C-alpha cells in the first residue's frame, strides 16, 4: 500500500492534544513501550516518501504511520545494518538513506531493495571513527564527520574517500578532529563545526582548502549548523553556550537571546534548530541539553519546556538530541528517553466556548484533543474528540452536555450531519457509526472491503453525505468509498 504524506499528518495528530495557552502545550510521545526499538533516540528525519526514521541506541526505526519497522544487524547477513547504535542520518538527492553508526562503518540504505551497503572508514583509532554527521553537497559528494578521526569526503561514483585531520601547526587544516555538523552555504563552500572551532572549506582550493574562523566566540564546542530559510544566506550555529546567527560571506554574527536557564546545567547548550512559519510569525524551535525552547523571532517571546515528572503530557527529557518538522508541520523531538511530538496547528481563543447560552462547566472540554465539530437538525452542537463524543444542547436558553456511556468509548475523527435526523461518525479504529439523534442510539456499519484484509477500513478520516443520500467515506490508507444507506451497498476506489 503506498504511503501518502497526509497519513503522517493524522498519525502525528493522534499523539497530540491541543491546549489554548502556550505554556500548557501538550506533547505526544513515542517510546519503547509504543514500539521503538530503544528510547534513546540520537537522530531523526522524514524521507522523500514520507516515512519518519529514528536512529536509536539499539536499531534503526522506520515509522510509516501504522507501525514501526526495526532494522538491526543480522550476523552473517552482509545486506543488514552494520551496527545497532545509530548516531546520524541523511537522505541524499537520489533517495538513498545514509546511516552513521558507532562502529565506524558508513551504511547506505536502498529503499528499492530494502538492503544496506557498507563502507569502512579506515582509522588507527577504532573508537574515534564513530560517525557523528553525514551530509551531501551540491556536487553529490558525501561528507562524513567522525567522533575523533576528523572529516571524510566520499565520492560515490569513484568509490573513493578523502580524509582530513587536525594539525596543531597549521591554521589551514581542520580545527579539531571531533566533527559535529556539516553544511554547504549558498556560495558552495562547506562549513564544518567541531568540538573546538568553526571551519570553512573551499572546494576550489586544493592545497589549503580549510580556513579556521579565528573568533574567540567559536573557541568552544559547536554542536550544530543549519541554513536559515528566514534569512537569505545566513546560518544558525548551536554551541555550548548559546545560539548564533552567522553570515558566511561577511563572517559577521549576532547572538540569539534564549530564555533563562536557571538551575539547568546545560540549558544554553544548543543541539539542534528548526524553523516554523506560523501565519506571519517566524518561530524557532531550539533543542538544548536543558530542555526544549520555542522562540518567536517576530514578537521576541520565548518559552522553555523542561521535564516535569508530574506532567504526563510534557517533554520526556531535558536532553534534546535532535529536532525535525515534517511536511504537515508536526514537530518531532528526539530525546534520550523517547520521542515527543507536537502539532503547532492550533488556534487560540480567549475561551473554548463563549456566548450567553454556553454557561456550562468548561472543565468537560479542557485539555481535549478535539478533531471535529458539527451541529444536527435539532440544534445540538456535537464535538468529536479522542476522549469520546459530546453534545451541547440549549434548552430554554440554558445549555447542557449530552453524554451517554457508549459515547465515551469512541475515538472520533470526523462528524457529518445526516439527511434524516442522524449523525454520521468516523472513528479511529472503530469504524463507521450512525447516531439516531432522537433516541441517542448508536448503530455500527460494516464498510470493510472484503477483497482486502486490511484494518484501514476501521480508520475513517472524513465523511460526507451528499444531497442524494450517498455517504462518501475517506479511509486512512484504504482509499475512498461510497455507501448507499438504503441498499447498504458499498463501492470502493483505491
Amino acid at each position: 500500500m503506498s504511503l501518502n504524506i497526509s497519513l503522517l499528518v493524522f498519525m502525528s495528530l493522534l499523539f497530540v492534544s491541543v491546549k489554548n495557552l502556550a505554556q500548557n502545550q501538550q506533547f505526544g510521545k513515542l517510546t519503547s513501550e509504543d514500539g521503538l526499538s530503544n528510547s534513546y533516540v540520537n537522530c531523526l528525519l522524514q524521507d522523500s516518501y514520507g516515512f519518519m526514521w529514528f536512529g536509536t541506541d539499539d536499531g534503526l526505526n522506520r515509522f510509516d504511520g501504522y507501525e514501526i519497522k526495526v532494522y538491526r544487524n543480522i550476523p552473517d547477513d552482509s545486506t543488514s545494518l552494520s551496527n545497532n547504535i545509530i548516531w546520524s542520518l541523511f537522505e541524499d538527492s537520489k533517495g538513498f538513506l545514509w546511516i552513521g553508526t558507532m562502529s565506524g562503518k558508513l551504511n547506505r540504505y536502498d529503499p528499492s531493495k530494502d538492503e544496506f551497503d557498507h563502507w569502512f572508514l579506515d582509522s588507527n583509532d577504532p573508537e574515534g571513527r564513530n560517525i557523528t554527521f553525514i551530509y551531501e553537497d551540491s556536487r553529490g559528494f558525501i561528507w562524513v564527520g567522525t567522533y575523533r578521526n576528523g572529516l571524510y569526503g566520499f565520492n560515490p561514483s569513484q568509490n573513493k574517500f578523502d580524509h582530513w585531520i587536525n594539525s596543531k601547526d597549521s591554521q589551514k587544516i581542520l580545527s579539531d578532529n571531533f566533527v559535529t555538523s556539516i553544511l554547504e552555504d549558498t556560495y558552495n563552500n562547506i562549513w564544518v563545526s567541531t568540538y573546538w572551532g568553526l571551519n570553512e572549506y573551499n572546494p576550489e582550493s586544493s592545497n589549503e582548502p580549510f580556513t579556521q574562523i579565528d573568533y574567540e566566540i567559536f573557541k568552544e564546542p559547536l554542536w550544530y549548523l543549519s541554513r536559515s530559510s528566514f534569512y537569505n544566506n545566513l546560518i544558525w550555529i548551536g554551541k555550548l553556550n548559546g545560539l548564533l546567527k552567522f553570515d558566511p560571506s561577511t563572517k559577521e554574527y549576532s547572538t540569539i537571546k534564549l530564555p533563562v536557564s536557571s538551575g539547568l546545567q546545560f540549558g544554553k547548550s544548543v543541539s539542534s534548530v528548526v524553523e516554523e512559519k506560523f501565519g506571519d510569525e517566524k518561530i524557532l524551535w531550539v533543542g538544548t541539553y536543558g530542555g526544549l525552547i520555542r522562540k518567536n523571532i517576530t514578537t521576541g517571546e520565548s518559552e522553555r519546556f523542561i521535564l516535569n515528572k508530574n506532567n504526563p503530557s510534557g517533554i520526556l527529557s531535558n536532553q534534546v538530541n535532535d529536532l525535525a518538522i515534517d511536511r504537515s508541520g508536526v514537530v518531532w523531538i528526539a530525546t534520550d528517553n523517547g520521542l515527543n511530538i507536537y502539532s503547532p496547528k492550533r488556534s487560540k481563543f480567549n475561551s473554548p466556548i463563549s456566548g450567553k447560552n454556553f454557561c456550562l462547566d468548561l472543565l468537560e472540554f479542557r485539555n481535549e484533543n478535539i478533531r471535529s465539530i458539527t451541529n444536527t437538525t435539532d440544534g445540538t452542537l456535537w464535538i468529536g474528540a479522542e476522549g469520546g463524543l459530546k453534545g451541547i444542547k440549549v434548552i430554554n436558553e440554558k445549555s447542557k452536555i449530552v453524554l451517554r456511556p457508549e459515547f465515551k468509548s469512541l475515538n472520533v475523527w470526523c462528524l457529518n450531519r445526516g439527511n434524516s435526523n442522524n449523525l454520521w461518525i468516523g472513528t479511529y479504529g472503530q469504524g463507521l457509526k450512525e447516531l439516531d439523534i432522537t433516541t441517542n442510539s448508536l448503530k455500527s456499519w460494516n464498510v470493510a472491503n472484503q477483497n482486502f484484509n486490511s484494518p484501514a477500513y476501521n480508520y475513517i478520516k472524513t465523511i460526507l453525505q451528499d444531497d442524494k443520500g450517498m455517504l462518501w467515506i475517506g479511509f486512512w490508507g484504504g482509499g475512498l468509498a461510497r455507501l448507499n444507506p438504503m441498499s447498504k451497498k458499498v463501492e470502493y476506489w483505491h
Side-chain angles (χ1 to χ4, degrees):
M1 182 181 299
S2 63
L3 175 79
N4 56 53
I5 300 305
S6 63
L7 181 150
L8 280 174
V9 180
F10 284 89
M11 193 62 200
S12 301
L13 292 177
L14 168 64
F15 294 104
V16 181
S17 296
V18 175
K19 279 197 173 186
N20 296 310
L21 298 178
Q23 61 267 30
N24 290 324
Q25 287 165 350
Q26 289 187 327
F27 295 87
K29 63 181 180 179
L30 194 62
T31 69
S32 56
E33 295 179 356
D34 306 301
L36 277 181
S37 61
N38 188 276
S39 287
Y40 202 115
V41 184
N42 295 300
C43 50
L44 74 167
L45 62 77
Q46 183 181 36
D47 70 15
S48 54
Y49 298 96
F51 293 108
M52 295 299 302
W53 292 87
F54 314 122
T56 78
D57 264 9
D58 184 22
L60 176 65
N61 295 238
R62 187 187 73 184
F63 180 47
D64 67 0
Y66 289 110
E67 60 186 5
I68 295 171
K69 181 175 181 177
V70 178
Y71 295 88
R72 287 191 176 97
N73 174 255
I74 302 172
D76 301 322
D77 184 352
S78 62
T79 65
S80 72
L81 194 65
S82 69
N83 185 272
N84 293 333
I85 301 179
I86 312 300
W87 277 14
S88 52
L89 294 171
F90 187 84
E91 185 186 26
D92 70 16
S93 56
K94 297 179 180 179
F96 293 114
L97 186 69
W98 295 84
I99 304 103
T101 69
M102 200 178 76
S103 69
K105 277 191 175 180
L106 180 64
N107 290 245
R108 185 180 68 181
Y109 173 75
D110 185 340
S112 65
K113 298 178 181 178
D114 199 29
E115 293 179 352
F116 296 84
D117 297 314
H118 315 104
W119 290 266
F120 182 75
L121 300 184
D122 189 19
S123 170
N124 294 324
D125 181 3
E127 294 183 359
R129 63 175 180 244
N130 304 344
I131 297 173
T132 56
F133 204 85
I134 304 172
Y135 185 81
E136 180 191 33
D137 69 16
S138 58
R139 299 173 300 163
F141 280 75
I142 303 297
W143 294 87
V144 182
T146 68
Y147 169 59
R148 214 162 52 200
N149 203 47
L151 178 69
Y152 291 81
F154 178 55
N155 186 332
S157 62
Q158 298 179 2
N159 200 34
K160 177 185 176 182
F161 282 93
D162 292 318
H163 186 205
W164 300 270
I165 58 174
N166 167 256
S167 171
K168 300 298 183 183
D169 300 327
S170 174
Q171 292 294 310
K172 295 295 183 179
I173 200 65
L174 201 62
S175 63
D176 191 83
N177 285 331
F178 182 179
V179 175
T180 57
S181 189
I182 308 163
L183 66 73
E184 182 178 25
D185 65 22
T186 53
Y187 309 101
N188 301 120
N189 294 313
I190 304 299
W191 291 86
V192 183
S193 65
T194 72
Y195 192 78
W196 194 259
L198 180 65
N199 305 262
E200 180 182 17
Y201 174 89
N202 183 348
E204 301 301 323
S205 177
S206 57
N207 294 328
E208 295 182 327
F210 285 95
T211 301
Q212 297 179 22
I213 309 303
D214 193 26
Y215 294 172
E216 193 65 31
I217 199 168
F218 293 140
K219 293 181 178 180
E220 64 176 70
L222 308 180
W223 298 129
Y224 188 77
L225 303 176
S226 174
R227 279 174 59 171
S228 174
S229 62
F230 292 164
Y231 308 101
N232 290 337
N233 307 326
L234 297 190
I235 294 173
W236 299 110
I237 301 179
K239 61 194 196 80
L240 177 66
N241 285 297
L243 177 64
L244 303 178
K245 184 171 62 175
F246 178 70
D247 187 331
S249 60
T250 65
K251 309 299 189 292
E252 295 178 348
Y253 66 87
S254 59
T255 301
I256 304 300
K257 185 178 180 181
L258 300 178
V260 176
S261 57
S262 301
L264 297 166
Q265 183 178 5
F266 301 109
K268 294 181 180 179
S269 191
V270 175
S271 64
S272 47
V273 180
V274 290
E275 296 174 334
E276 172 202 349
K277 270 289 189 73
F278 190 70
D280 295 328
E281 298 180 349
K282 298 175 180 177
I283 309 296
L284 275 187
W285 289 91
V286 182
T288 78
Y289 297 113
L292 175 68
I293 295 170
R294 183 179 188 269
K295 183 172 181 64
N296 190 317
I297 298 293
T298 306
T299 66
E301 298 175 347
S302 61
E303 54 195 321
R304 184 187 296 268
F305 305 94
I306 60 174
L307 174 66
N308 180 354
K309 294 183 179 180
N310 295 321
N311 179 11
S313 298
I315 65 170
L316 292 163
S317 170
N318 288 338
Q319 180 175 323
V320 177
N321 295 324
D322 200 7
L323 294 171
I325 297 183
D326 69 23
R327 292 168 213 168
S328 67
V330 172
V331 183
W332 298 79
I333 304 126
T335 80
D336 63 345
N337 194 34
L339 286 158
N340 280 121
I341 306 103
Y342 172 73
S343 173
K345 295 186 176 181
R346 66 199 184 280
S347 298
K348 296 182 180 180
F349 298 88
N350 292 328
S351 173
I353 301 173
S354 60
K356 66 178 182 179
N357 291 329
F358 290 100
C359 301
L360 49 81
D361 185 0
L362 298 180
L363 289 175
E364 185 69 41
F365 298 92
R366 186 170 296 173
N367 303 338
E368 278 282 12
N369 188 3
I370 296 172
R371 297 196 178 94
S372 187
I373 302 174
T374 192
N375 63 348
T376 46
T377 53
D378 65 344
T380 302
L381 180 69
W382 294 96
I383 298 174
E386 184 176 336
L389 176 69
K390 300 179 178 70
I392 301 175
K393 182 174 289 189
V394 178
I395 302 175
N396 297 327
E397 296 191 353
K398 291 185 178 181
S399 58
K400 72 172 185 177
I401 296 178
V402 180
L403 182 63
R404 295 174 62 93
E406 61 268 36
F407 294 174
K408 292 183 179 180
S409 65
L410 299 177
N411 188 340
V412 179
W413 266 15
C414 53
L415 299 170
N416 184 247
R417 178 170 66 179
N419 297 347
S420 55
N421 293 325
N422 63 333
L423 176 69
W424 294 102
I425 306 165
T427 73
Y428 171 81
Q430 298 156 289
L432 177 66
K433 309 288 183 181
E434 181 185 11
L435 174 67
D436 185 322
I437 62 176
T438 303
T439 63
N440 280 340
S441 60
L442 276 173
K443 175 182 178 180
S444 296
W445 286 82
N446 182 7
V447 291
N449 190 335
Q450 302 304 313
N451 295 323
F452 296 94
N453 183 20
S454 171
Y457 301 102
N458 289 323
Y459 296 81
I460 298 176
K461 290 166 54 177
T462 184
I463 45 179
L464 176 69
Q465 190 166 29
D466 63 25
D467 54 6
K468 296 180 180 179
M470 300 294 106
L471 187 70
W472 294 85
I473 306 166
F475 299 103
W476 182 31
L480 176 69
R482 182 175 63 187
L483 167 68
N484 185 331
M486 297 298 294
S487 66
K488 300 182 181 180
K489 179 183 178 181
V490 187
E491 301 173 88
Y492 301 93
W493 293 267
H494 299 279

